[in-house]
Structure formats: structure tokens, C-alpha cells
């Protein structure tokens, strides 16, 4: 077992960096262990709110327009239910690993220990790519939302404003990001909860027009769209399948809790609490939200087509306008705009910490490990922010079209990351069993393992393989759709086998897996918090 010591040094620019030096018999191990350190500045309420609402963004509020148009109300609901079950399987698998070892780099570091260095290399760069690409998607969506009020200002101006806000939040470090997310996520949770309640009221005829909708749109135009006019069950099945990629875009990012684990206070208490609440987000916010959307808006509504319009076309806003409620659509649209800011801020945070994790594991230049005195990996943050400039593609191609491109690329890349996380857990489980660890003693024990992890492996691969099937239909070929769906999937095996050949790595045997390094520091950072003294503190403790 390694013995660790720390020291402070000055870099060439005269600022302090913290290095962790690990005594090892191997020079390679020594090089891999030396690095700059993040600081545990995120509080329990930050982690709790990030897990509940941190990445609820334009995928749910705006992207569901495409899902509803493609699949119809039941197709949309079934698509979100299936992807939600995959999300749950991946998150509980990840939660067990990261609760035991909440290290910088999250699952990227786990892959280094439990699979092989080439898997860590592939998972890390794929994860960074995913979060880097989703940033311009969120910025494009924000510009699309602004179109609700005005179309007279060029999208470039709004993208610039949003990008400045996102960069400002992230340059102040993890504590500022956590505080901003606490506020933004609170707004999103209040918004989606209010929209679900309002949707029920409108559906039952409680709106100004007193139109009792009920299940009208499930009868006409129907529960499923007939995809590409295919008749019968074939068309309905394809309509449901067309929802899967868009649904994945909405769920991708839930694993941000794992990346935040390296900067969380009392991680062995706060991370398990956050993981246990993942089902609340899936059932209440996502499944509840799309159920209401399917009741209120027919899938034939022309406003659901994001490519054909430059205005904000959230299904919630469409329903509220149709009900005759004045003023409220603008309030809701403003809340949705803050969700785009929030999700974009999470994108920069996650991509920069992924880049930091790659450098820690010797899979990226060591300059990305550089931090300032407050523990901010500023080189990684600056590099990740720079990719937000891709959002300016919306100026020439239209914000809705660009949003669709990036959503496809993000969905497939995110699903491949879920695949990588599930594989890592299967190896983690095998190592625990081989080395005689008692899983019941872990801070968090995932249910139904390793079967849920295998479910994640198989289902993510199937969705990715058939994600762009629509382009192979007669007369439906679209080069941009083909590239954005299959490029991320092709990159994953290309990166892995290239890294494996170049580095000559092999799978780590279960008996050789490292479950100990860094454990002492994690245990030292964990502590028992004082019990609540009254009902208010008990409620706050349960919530946060």
C-alpha cells in the first residue's frame, strides 16, 4: 500500500500548486500519481441539488418537442421510460463505485483501476467530447428560447451573452459552481413541478378556456405517430424507436455527481444520498413531465418542428398559450432560459474536470492538471470553454437545426459513456468478489447487481447501433444525421484499440485491482455530521 505525503511548490508563474507525491517502486506509478489537487469545497446541499436538478435542461423542456412529433404521446412516454430505466441502472452502478472511492476524475479513474489504462483513455476522451459538444447545444437552445420574444436580434449576440455568464460561473471554482447550481436547480425543480401541476389543471379544464382535454389527443391524432407513414405496428414501433436518441439527450449528464465527488465535502455521506434520489428525478420530473406533455399537445402541432421555426417551441409553452393564459408563457420561457444557462454551466464544469482526470491518469498533457490557489483547474476550464464557440454555427444554419445536430452527437457519445461505465462496474464487481470484499459494508450498495450493469451494457449498445436507422429508409438519406449519430460511436472503439496497441496494455486481473490507494484521504475527509436538533433541521437534512 502506498504511503502519501504532500508538499506545496511554486510553478513558473509564481502561483501555488499542490502536488501529491506517492512513494512507489515504479517510476511510472510515481509519474502517474504526481499532480495538482482539487479542493473539497462543495457542500451537501450543492451535491443534493446537482443530483436532483443539475442537468435538467433543454432536453426535457425543449427537445421533447422533437420526441413528441416523432413518436406521439405514448411513443414519447415509452421512450423516456426505457431510457430512464437504463439511466437508473448506470447510476446505481456508478454510485456504488464512486461512493467507495470518490476520487478526482470519477469513473475515468475507476476505469484505470478496474479495466485497463486504454479503457480509461477511451472513456475519458469520449466523456470530455460528450460534455464539450453538449455545451454549444445548450447555447444554441438558449438562443432558440430567446426567439420567443424577439427575432430581430442576431443569435450571435445572445450566444455571446450566455457564454460570458457560463464562463464567469466556472472561473470562480467549484464552490461558486455549486452555489450557482443550487439556485438554478431550485428554479428548475420549482418550474417543472409547477408545470406538471398546471398541466394537470389544464388537462382537466381548469384553464381560462375551460377546455377539458383529457385523453383527447391520445384518440385523435392518436397515441403513436406512424413513422414515415409506415402502416400498422411497424410504423408505431419505429415511431417509438425514433424517440430513444432524443430521450437519451435529456438523461445524459446524470453522472455529473460522480465527477463532483472529487470536490465534495464528506463524500462518503453525501454521494450515496444523492445517488439514492436519482429515481425521484427519473419518475417525477422526466416521466411525469412527458406524460403531461403528451396529454396537452397533439403530435401534429406544427410548432413542434424546431427546424422550421426560430421561435421557442417548448411543448409546455405551446400548451399554456393554447389554454389562453396570458403572460405566463413569458415567465415559463424565462425559467427555461435559466435551465439552459445551468446546463451549459454543468457542461463546462464536467468537461474541465474530465480533462483534469485525463491528465491525472496520464492520458492528457500534464498542463491540464494545473490549478490556482483556490483549486481551480484553470487550463482545463479555459480549453473547455473555448469549444462553446461552436455554438456560433447557429448564426448561419439556424439555432434549431444546430441544436438537433449537437443533440444527436451528445446522445450517442453519452450512451457510449454509459456503456463504458457499466463495463467498468462489471469489472469492479468481479474484483470485489475475487479479493473477498464484503459489498454490504460499502457506503452504498447497488441493488440487483451485476444484472443491472449488464442491462446497461446491452441496451446502450443496441440504441447506439440503431440510432440513425432513419437515414437508411428510401429517400430519407441525410449526411448530417448519419455523421452526427455514428461518428461518436465509431470513435469509441477506434480510441480504445489505438490506445491499447500503442500502450501495449492488458486487462487488469481481478486479484490485481487497486481498491486501496487514496482510501486513507477519503476516510479522513469523511465525518459524522451532528444530528438535527428540531423538525426544521430534520426536514433540511432529508432534503439536502
Amino acid at each position: 500500500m502506498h504511503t502519501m505525503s504532500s508538499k506545496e511548490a511554486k510553478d513558473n508563474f509564481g502561483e501555488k500548486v499542490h502536488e501529491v507525491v506517492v512513494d512507489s517502486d515504479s517510476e511510472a506509478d510515481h509519474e502517474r500519481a504526481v499532480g495538482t489537487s482539487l479542493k473539497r469545497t462543495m457542500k451537501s446541499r450543492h451535491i443534493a441539488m446537482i443530483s436532483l436538478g443539475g442537468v435538467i435542461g433543454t432536453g426535457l423542456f425543449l427537445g421533447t418537442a422533437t420526441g413528441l412529433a416523432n413518436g406521439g404521446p405514448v411513443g414519447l412516454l415509452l421512450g423516456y421510460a426505457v431510457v430512464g430505466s437504463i439511466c437508473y441502472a448506470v447510476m446505481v452502478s456508478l454510485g456504488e463505485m464512486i461512493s467507495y472511492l470518490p476520487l478526482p476524475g470519477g469513473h475515468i479513474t475507476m476505469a484505470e483501476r478496474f479495466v485497463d489504462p486504454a479503457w480509461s483513455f477511451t472513456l475519458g476522451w469520449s466523456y470530455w467530447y460528450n460534455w464539450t459538444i453538449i455545451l454549444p447545444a445548450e447555447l444554441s437552445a438558449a438562443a432558440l428560447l430567446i426567439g420567443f420574444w424577439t427575432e430581430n436580434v442576431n443569435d450571435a449576440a445572445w450566444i455571446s451573452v450566455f457564454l460570458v455568464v457560463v464562463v464567469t460561473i466556472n472561473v470562480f471554482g467549484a464552490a461558486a459552481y455549486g452555489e450557482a447550481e443550487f439556485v438554478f436547480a431550485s428554479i428548475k425543480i420549482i418550474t417543472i413541478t409547477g408545470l406538471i401541476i398546471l398541466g394537470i389543471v389544464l388537462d382537466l379544464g381548469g384553464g381560462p378556456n375551460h377546455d377539458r382535454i383529457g385523453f383527447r389527443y391520445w384518440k385523435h391524432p392518436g397515441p403513436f405517430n406512424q413513422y414515415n407513414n409506415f402502416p400498422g405496428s411497424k410504423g408505431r414501433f419505429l415511431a417509438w424507436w425514433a424517440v430513444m436518441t432524443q430521450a437519451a439527450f435529456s438523461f445524459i449528464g446524470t453522472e455529473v455527481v460522480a465527477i463532483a465527488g472529487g470536490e465534495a465535502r464528506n463524500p462518503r455521506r453525501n454521494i450515496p444520498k444523492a445517488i439514492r434520489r436519482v429515481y425521484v428525478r427519473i419518475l417525477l420530473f422526466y416521466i411525469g413531465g412527458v406524460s403531461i406533455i403528451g396529454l396537452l399537445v397533439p403530435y401534429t402541432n406544427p410548432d413542434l418542428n424546431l427546424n422550421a421555426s426560430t421561435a421557442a417551441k417548448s411543448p409546455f409553452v405551446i400548451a399554456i398559450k393554447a389554454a389562453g393564459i396570458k403572460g405566463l408563457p413569458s415567465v415559463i420561457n424565462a425559467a427555461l432560459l435559466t435551465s439552459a444557462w445551468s446546463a451549459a454551466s454543468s457542461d463546462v464544469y464536467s468537461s474541465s474536470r474530465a480533462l483534469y482526470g485525463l491528465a491525472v491518469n496520464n492520458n492528457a498533457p500534464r498542463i491540464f492538471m494545473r490549478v490556482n490557489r483556490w483549486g481551480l483547474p484553470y487550463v482545463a476550464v479555459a480549453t473547455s470553454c473555448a469549444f462553446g464557440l461552436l455554438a456560433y454555427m447557429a448564426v448561419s444554419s439556424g439555432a434549431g437545426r444546430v441544436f438537433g445536430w449537437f443533440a444527436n452527437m451528445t446522445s450517442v457519445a453519452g450512451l457510449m459513456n454509459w456503456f463504458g461505465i457499466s463495463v467498468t462496474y462489471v469489472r469492479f464487481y468481479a474484483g470485489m468478489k475475487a479479493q473477498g470484499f464484503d459489498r454490504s459494508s460499502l457506503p452504498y450498495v447497488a441493488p440487483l447487481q451485476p444484472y443491472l450493469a449488464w442491462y446497461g451494457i446491452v441496451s446502450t449498445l443496441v440504441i447506439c447501433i440503431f440510432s440513425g436507422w432513419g437515414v437508411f429508409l428510401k429517400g430519407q438519406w441525410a449526411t448530417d444525421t448519419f455523421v452526427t449519430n455514428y461518428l461518436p460511436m465509431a470513435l469509441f472503439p477506434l480510441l480504445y484499440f489505438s490506445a491499447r496497441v500503442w500502450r501495449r496494455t492488458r486487462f487488469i486481473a481481478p486479484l490485481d485491482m487497486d481498491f486501496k490507494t487514496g482510501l486513507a484521504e477519503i476516510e479522513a475527509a469523511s465525518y459524522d455530521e451532528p444530528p438535527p436538533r428540531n423538525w426544521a433541521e430534520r426536514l433540511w437534512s432529508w432534503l439536502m
Side-chain angles (χ1 to χ4, degrees):
M1 183 170 176
H2 300 306
T3 58
M4 306 182 71
S5 61
S6 64
K7 68 179 182 177
E8 284 192 340
K10 292 273 189 177
D11 68 359
N12 294 332
F13 295 94
E15 58 189 319
K16 291 182 179 180
V17 297
H18 299 279
E19 296 186 350
V20 178
V21 181
V22 180
D23 297 328
S24 173
D25 295 333
S26 167
E27 184 64 25
D29 288 343
H30 172 77
E31 285 298 321
R32 203 161 32 240
V34 175
T36 54
S37 61
L38 304 177
K39 294 185 178 181
R40 296 191 180 274
T41 56
M42 282 199 190
K43 301 175 182 178
S44 61
R45 60 186 176 88
H46 297 156
I47 297 296
M49 200 58 75
I50 288 171
S51 71
L52 280 175
V55 290
I56 294 176
T58 49
L60 177 60
F61 290 125
L62 183 61
T64 43
T66 302
L68 180 58
N70 286 335
V74 177
L76 178 70
L77 178 59
L78 290 177
Y80 268 75
V82 171
V83 177
S85 69
I86 300 170
C87 177
Y88 178 78
V90 173
M91 281 304 297
V92 296
S93 302
L94 178 60
E96 184 172 313
M97 293 188 293
I98 209 66
S99 296
Y100 176 67
L101 285 172
L103 298 171
H107 53 280
I108 301 170
T109 303
M110 301 292 130
E112 173 90 7
R113 294 193 179 196
F114 307 128
V115 186
D116 76 319
W119 195 255
S120 177
F121 175 89
T122 306
L123 192 55
W125 281 110
S126 179
Y127 191 71
W128 174 81
Y129 163 85
N130 173 55
W131 283 101
T132 301
I133 290 299
I134 200 174
L135 173 61
E138 297 290 357
L139 294 173
S140 299
L144 192 66
L145 288 165
I146 287 289
F148 179 83
W149 293 294
T150 178
E151 298 176 12
N152 298 325
V153 180
N154 194 293
D155 286 336
W158 300 119
I159 290 170
S160 299
V161 171
F162 304 142
L163 189 57
V164 168
V165 172
V166 169
V167 172
T168 302
I169 291 171
N170 277 272
V171 297
F172 285 101
Y177 163 74
E179 207 64 54
E181 279 307 290
F182 181 81
V183 175
F184 282 140
S186 299
I187 294 173
K188 286 188 285 187
I189 289 173
I190 293 170
T191 300
I192 188 63
T193 303
L195 286 173
I196 290 172
I197 295 171
L198 176 61
I200 294 171
V201 172
L202 294 179
D203 186 67
L204 296 176
N209 59 4
H210 301 294
D211 181 16
R212 186 183 177 92
I213 301 172
F215 286 86
R216 178 191 308 164
Y217 299 132
W218 284 41
K219 297 177 181 178
H220 180 76
F224 289 93
N225 187 5
Q226 296 296 140
Y227 192 84
N228 204 39
N229 295 320
F230 282 108
S233 58
K234 181 180 179 180
R236 292 191 291 272
F237 174 81
L238 294 179
W240 161 66
W241 192 262
V243 175
M244 300 292 272
T245 303
Q246 188 280 318
F249 175 73
S250 297
F251 282 101
I252 294 300
T254 319
E255 65 279 0
V256 68
V257 176
I259 291 292
E263 295 177 270
R265 294 181 184 176
N266 202 8
R268 285 198 153 186
R269 174 186 178 275
N270 293 327
I271 299 299
K273 286 183 69 175
I275 294 296
R276 290 188 184 100
R277 289 177 183 156
V278 168
Y279 76 91
V280 175
R281 179 199 295 181
I282 295 172
L283 292 177
L284 177 61
F285 302 145
Y286 287 100
I287 304 303
V290 298
S291 298
I292 294 300
I293 287 171
L295 293 174
L296 297 179
V297 182
Y299 68 80
T300 52
N301 191 308
D303 286 341
L304 295 173
N305 186 351
L306 299 181
N307 292 333
S309 174
T310 56
K313 297 302 178 184
S314 166
F316 290 109
V317 175
I318 293 172
I320 293 170
K321 288 177 66 178
I325 302 177
K326 297 181 179 179
L328 186 58
S330 290
V331 175
I332 299 302
N333 208 63
L336 304 192
L337 191 58
T338 65
S339 79
W341 276 340
S342 168
S345 180
S346 292
D347 300 339
V348 173
Y349 175 81
S350 298
S351 59
S352 61
R353 271 44 175 195
L355 199 52
Y356 174 90
L358 281 163
V360 166
N361 292 302
N362 207 27
N363 290 323
R366 294 177 63 81
I367 191 173
F368 294 118
M369 295 170 65
R370 193 182 297 275
V371 302
N372 62 19
R373 67 188 65 187
W374 300 285
L376 174 72
Y378 60 91
V379 178
V381 169
T383 303
S384 298
C385 286
F387 283 85
L389 300 176
L390 290 172
Y392 288 106
M393 293 170 61
V395 176
S396 59
S397 299
R401 187 175 180 83
V402 171
F403 175 75
W405 289 345
F406 287 127
N408 286 344
M409 296 175 75
T410 297
S411 299
V412 178
L415 286 169
M416 290 306 298
N417 280 308
W418 283 5
F419 165 77
I421 290 169
S422 300
V423 169
T424 303
Y425 178 82
V426 169
R427 299 287 297 165
F428 171 86
Y429 182 91
M432 280 264 170
K433 187 175 181 179
Q435 296 188 27
F437 279 88
D438 181 10
R439 287 180 58 242
S440 64
S441 65
L442 298 178
Y444 173 75
V445 180
L448 301 175
Q449 293 292 16
Y451 308 108
L452 281 182
W454 279 108
Y455 171 62
I457 291 172
V458 174
S459 56
T460 51
L461 271 183
V462 170
I463 294 175
C464 287
I465 290 171
F466 294 102
S467 62
W469 58 270
V471 300
F472 299 108
L473 298 175
K474 186 177 180 180
Q476 296 297 311
W477 177 261
T479 303
D480 57 347
T481 302
F482 177 81
V483 171
T484 54
N485 275 279
Y486 288 111
L487 176 63
M489 184 178 177
L491 283 176
F492 199 92
L494 180 64
L495 285 171
Y496 177 67
F497 288 111
S498 298
R500 186 153 185 172
V501 171
W502 180 260
R503 294 188 163 193
R504 300 178 182 178
T505 63
R506 293 184 297 176
F507 282 119
I508 300 170
L511 288 173
D512 296 330
M513 293 179 184
D514 180 9
F515 290 94
K516 299 291 182 66
T517 302
L519 194 58
E521 183 273 333
I522 293 164
E523 290 175 342
S526 301
Y527 51 88
D528 292 329
E529 297 189 357
R533 294 168 294 182
N534 50 54
W535 69 269
E537 289 187 0
R538 281 194 295 273
L539 177 62
W540 182 256
S541 177
W542 181 81
L543 288 173
M544 296 293 126

